[in-house]
């Protein structure tokens, strides 16, 4: 049996000539699939951005968010009707409303398979429809990638920012009442920074500070941020836990283990630790 064409799921009277496709991809700060899964208002804003051209120049937008791990897999984010347009480029210049009456059961459940050539992510629907197939339809709507486990965190600063901004309960519950030692690696250079969370500050609160400031108040990271810029930081600085304990753990033990990992990873000589 061959793949199922996406066209078979469209409403019978829906005309592709009235619709633009929006293939939303990572913008250097956040993944659109996180907004789609957890933040309806933010996901709506993803579909209101106007570039230099009037890309959304048709009545409808068929929105899709790219999977983080498979660039040919896209999660359906609903059909939006454009009810207002303003001429300002590089602004949220479109007014859109979600049309629940058009494919209402499928947002956040329908995965579409299509491999795009070129950089254009806003296309006429009729030009791509024959190449778009149904990859799967899940029983439950997508709600964001679940917390992977304390020993499997390997996330960029941009991803940590999205998790903190959305207040993801699975992440917060897992990290809020935990002390720990963590490493932040520069994915381009390999340079590490070793930090810790202790006292009344759990890992969640500590990382939320990085999400807000990017540098967390650390002298070495602040200098690195000044040299490389915010976009570089959000993309390339990656977080992982080295060790973690309950809040009952003695603070001195956490500090001693932080010192140990600074020595092991040479984060003073080759990284961004300054003490």
């Amino acid at each position: 049996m061959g793949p199922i064409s996406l066209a078979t799921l469209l409403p019978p009277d829906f005309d592709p000539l009235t619709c633009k496709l929006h293939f939303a991809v990572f913008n250097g700060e956040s993944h659109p699939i996180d907004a789609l899964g957890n933040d309806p208002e933010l996901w709506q804003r993803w579909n209101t951005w106007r570039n230099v051209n009037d890309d959304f120049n048709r009545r409808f937008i068929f929105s899709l968010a790219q999977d983080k791990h498979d660039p040919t897999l896209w999660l359906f984010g609903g059909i939006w009707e454009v009810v207002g347009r303003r001429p300002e480029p590089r602004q949220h210049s479109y007014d859109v409303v979600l049309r629940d009456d058009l494919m209402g059961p499928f947002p956040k459940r329908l995965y579409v398979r299509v491999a795009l050539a070129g950089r254009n992510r806003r296309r006429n629907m009729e030009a791509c429809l024959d190449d778009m197939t149904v990859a799967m339809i899940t029983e439950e709507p997508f709600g964001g990638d679940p917390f992977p486990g304390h020993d499997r965190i390997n996330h960029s600063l941009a991803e940590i920012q999205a998790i903190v901004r959305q207040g993801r309960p699975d992440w917060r519950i897992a990290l809020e009442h935990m002390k720990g030692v963590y490493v932040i690696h520069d994915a381009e250079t390999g340079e590490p920074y070793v930090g810790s969370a202790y006292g009344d500050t759990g890992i969640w609160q500590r990382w939320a500070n990085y999400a807000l400031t990017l540098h967390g108040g650390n002298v070495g990271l602040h200098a690195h941020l000044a040299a490389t810029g915010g976009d570089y930081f959000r993309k390339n600085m990656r977080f992982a836990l080295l060790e973690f304990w309950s809040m009952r753990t003695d603070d001195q033990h956490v500090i001693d283990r932080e010192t140990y990992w600074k020595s092991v990873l040479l984060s003073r000589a080759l990284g961004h630790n300054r003490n």
Side-chain angles (χ1 to χ4, degrees):
M1 181 179 296
I4 300 171
S5 172
L6 174 65
T8 63
L9 296 185
L10 296 178
D13 57 349
F14 187 79
D15 184 359
L17 295 175
T18 66
C19 193
K20 294 296 287 274
L21 296 170
H22 180 202
F23 294 100
V25 299
F26 180 66
N27 63 4
E29 297 184 11
S30 58
H31 291 273
I33 199 168
D34 290 327
L36 175 54
N38 295 283
D39 193 332
E41 291 185 5
L42 181 59
W43 174 240
Q44 180 174 354
R45 284 178 62 81
W46 272 83
N47 293 281
T48 64
W49 180 260
R50 176 173 179 156
N51 290 320
V52 175
N53 298 320
D54 183 17
D55 294 311
F56 294 150
N57 54 7
R58 293 182 171 181
R59 181 180 178 186
F60 297 111
I61 303 169
F62 190 98
S63 62
L64 298 146
Q66 190 174 49
D67 183 80
K68 293 181 184 179
H69 312 292
D70 184 344
T72 71
L73 192 62
W74 305 82
L75 181 59
F76 175 54
I79 296 177
W80 302 82
E81 183 173 3
V82 182
V83 296
R85 293 182 177 86
R86 292 177 298 283
E88 297 88 353
R90 296 190 176 93
Q91 301 287 336
H92 292 280
S93 300
Y94 297 103
D95 300 318
V96 300
V97 294
L98 184 62
R99 288 290 300 268
D100 289 324
D101 57 316
L102 300 174
M103 299 186 68
F106 294 109
K108 300 200 290 185
R109 296 177 56 215
L110 167 64
Y111 284 86
V112 175
R113 180 77 64 187
V114 61
L116 295 183
R119 298 175 58 86
N120 185 14
R121 294 296 180 262
R122 301 180 180 200
R123 305 189 180 192
N124 293 336
M125 190 173 198
E126 71 276 9
C128 302
L129 190 56
D130 289 344
D131 298 321
M132 301 173 71
T133 60
V134 177
M136 59 180 162
I137 301 174
T138 61
E139 184 175 353
E140 296 294 331
F142 176 76
D145 291 334
F147 179 70
H150 296 85
D151 58 344
R152 293 183 179 274
I153 297 172
N154 179 17
H155 290 64
S156 69
L157 176 57
E159 291 172 315
I160 297 297
Q161 285 183 309
I163 290 164
V164 170
R165 182 173 58 250
Q166 295 156 8
R168 290 284 301 277
D170 52 343
W171 280 77
R172 185 166 194 145
I173 290 170
L175 299 177
E176 190 170 29
H177 301 294
M178 299 291 291
K179 299 180 182 181
V181 178
Y182 54 86
V183 61
I184 306 173
H185 270 108
D186 185 322
E188 286 289 326
T189 67
E191 296 168 337
Y193 172 84
V194 174
S196 62
Y198 56 88
D200 295 331
T201 303
I203 297 166
W204 173 267
Q205 291 90 340
R206 190 73 190 96
W207 286 7
N209 187 251
Y210 286 104
L212 177 65
T213 65
L214 306 188
H215 52 72
N218 307 121
V219 174
L221 289 181
H222 193 284
H224 191 44
L225 173 62
T228 58
D231 289 345
Y232 179 95
F233 241 58
R234 283 183 282 268
K235 178 181 178 182
N236 291 293
M237 305 306 286
R238 302 195 65 86
F239 286 64
L241 279 177
L242 297 171
E243 298 187 54
F244 48 93
W245 308 274
S246 76
M247 294 297 282
R248 296 190 299 273
T249 303
D250 184 72
D251 284 348
Q252 190 58 50
H253 177 73
V254 180
I255 295 169
D256 291 344
R257 295 304 293 171
E258 179 186 15
T259 301
Y260 167 81
W261 282 110
K262 287 177 181 177
S263 176
V264 169
L265 297 178
L266 302 176
S267 65
R268 296 187 184 94
L270 302 179
H272 298 292
N273 283 105
R274 297 292 182 266
N275 58 12

